[in-house]
C-alpha cells in the first residue's frame, strides 16, 4: 500500500519589503532545541518580453538603499520578538546550526 505524503509548505514568519527587495524571516530550531530567527533576501523581477515573474538572490548597485533598509527592518523585527534582543554571533550560530 502506497501512502501519498503531502509536502509541508514552509512559510516565513514575517516578510519585510522595500521596493523589489524582500527579506523573508524564518523561525529555526537547532538540533539542541535552541530557537532563533534568520532571514533570506531576494529581489523580485518581471520580464518585459514574456511577463514572467520570479525572484533572484542577485542584486544591482541601484538596489543598495532598498537592501540596506530591508536588512535594518528585518533585524529590527527579529530584535522586537524577544524582551531582550538576542545577538547570536557567528560562533553560536555555527555551533547550533550547520551553516552553508
Amino acid at each position: 500500500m502506497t501512502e501519498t505524503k503531502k509536502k509541508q509548505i514552509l512559510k516565513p514568519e514575517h516578510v519585510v519589503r522595500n521596493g523589489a527587495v524582500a527579506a523573508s524571516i524564518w523561525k529555526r530550531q537547532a538540533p539542541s532545541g535552541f530557537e532563533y530567527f534568520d532571514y533570506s533576501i531576494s529581489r523580485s523581477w518581471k520580464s518585459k518580453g514574456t511577463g514572467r515573474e520570479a525572484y533572484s538572490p542577485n542584486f544591482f548597485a541601484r538596489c543598495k538603499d532598498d537592501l540596506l533598509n530591508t536588512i535594518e527592518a528585518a533585524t529590527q523585527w527579529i530584535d522586537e520578538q524577544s524582551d531582550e534582543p538576542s545577538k547570536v554571533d557567528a560562533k553560536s550560530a555555527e555551533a547550533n546550526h550547520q551553516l552553508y
Side-chain angles (χ1 to χ4, degrees):
M1 185 158 122
T2 306
E3 289 184 31
T4 306
K5 292 184 179 180
K6 292 182 181 178
K7 278 191 171 182
Q8 182 180 8
I9 298 174
L10 299 177
K11 292 187 179 184
E13 199 70 24
H14 185 70
V15 177
V16 174
R17 287 189 174 82
N18 282 290
V21 178
S24 297
I25 302 171
W26 305 92
K27 189 172 189 176
R28 311 283 191 189
Q29 185 172 12
S32 65
F34 174 74
E35 289 186 340
Y36 61 96
F37 290 103
D38 65 10
Y39 57 92
S40 55
I41 299 177
S42 62
R43 177 183 53 84
S44 62
W45 59 270
K46 182 175 182 178
S47 170
K48 290 181 182 179
T50 64
R52 179 175 172 245
E53 296 178 4
Y55 295 91
S56 174
N58 304 310
F59 301 90
F60 300 105
R62 67 178 179 258
C63 298
K64 178 183 175 182
D65 290 338
D66 288 341
L67 276 165
L68 293 172
N69 292 333
T70 302
I71 290 168
E72 181 63 35
T75 304
Q76 181 179 347
W77 187 91
I78 291 170
D79 284 346
E80 290 172 353
Q81 300 317 298
S82 66
D83 293 336
E84 294 180 21
S86 61
K87 305 289 184 195
V88 178
D89 61 14
K91 288 183 182 179
S92 297
E94 192 171 304
N96 288 305
H97 185 71
Q98 187 176 13
L99 300 176
Y100 56 95

